Structure formats: structure tokens, C-alpha cells
Amino acid sequence: MLKDIDTSWNISKKESSFKVLANGDNFRVYYAIRNRVFFEKENLINSKFFYWLNVKVYMLILKFFAKKKKMKLLNQAIQDGLNNRLGRTL
């Protein structure tokens, strides 16, 4: 049996995913978003239109929770994931 010694930073029953991203550590938020976007781009996207629509709506909602500096970080993570920039950035 495996036991996880570190709790997940991005899973919370008390906070929405928007608040978790808005208030999370920049390092973890950046890499989580960048890697997720890259994975989705390579493996999950069936319709670019609907993917972009989903990204835009998600980012619009995030604007209500995140400060301007965090939004800039999230946008950079998305761009890096889409452009295959996966080396250490932060």
C-alpha cells in the first residue's frame, strides 16, 4: 500500500478551483497550468474552437478571483503550454 506524504495543493473541498489558482503559489500554479495545457493540446482536443472557447470563459471567470499579476502568470503558462515551452521557466 502506498501512502502519499504530501497533500495535494490544488484539491480543496472548501474552495473552488478558481480560488485555488488565484491564491496558489506561483510556482505550482504556473507548472500545473502549463503542463495541463500541453497535455490537453497533445491528447484531448477534438475541437480547437471549443477548446479556445473554454479557455476564454475560464479565464474570464478567473478575473473575478485573481489579481492582475496572477492573470499574467496564467496567460504565460497557457502560451508556454501551447508553444511546447516545457523547460524550467520560473
Side-chain angles (χ1 to χ4, degrees), residues 53-69:
L53 181 62
N54 186 45
V55 168
K56 295 299 181 187
V57 169
Y58 197 82
M59 293 298 283
L60 182 65
I61 295 169
L62 259 172
K63 283 185 177 183
F64 293 103
F65 296 95
K67 294 181 180 176
K68 198 173 188 177
K69 189 174 181 181

Side-chain angles (χ1 to χ4, degrees), residues 63-81:
K63 283 185 177 183
F64 293 103
F65 296 95
K67 294 181 180 176
K68 198 173 188 177
K69 189 174 181 181
K70 184 70 79 167
M71 291 301 296
K72 186 176 178 182
L73 177 79
L74 292 166
N75 281 318
Q76 185 64 52
I78 291 169
Q79 290 305 312
D80 288 348

Side-chain angles (χ1 to χ4, degrees), residues 9 12 21 25-26 32 43 48 50 52 54 57 61-64 66 70-71 73 75 80 85 88 90:
W9 69 273
S12 174
L21 288 176
D25 174 62
N26 285 348
N43 300 294
K48 288 184 181 183
F50 285 113
W52 274 109
N54 186 45
V57 169
I61 295 169
L62 259 172
K63 283 185 177 183
F64 293 103
K70 184 70 79 167
M71 291 301 296
L73 177 79
N75 281 318
D80 288 348
R85 287 192 291 260
R88 188 171 175 98
L90 291 179

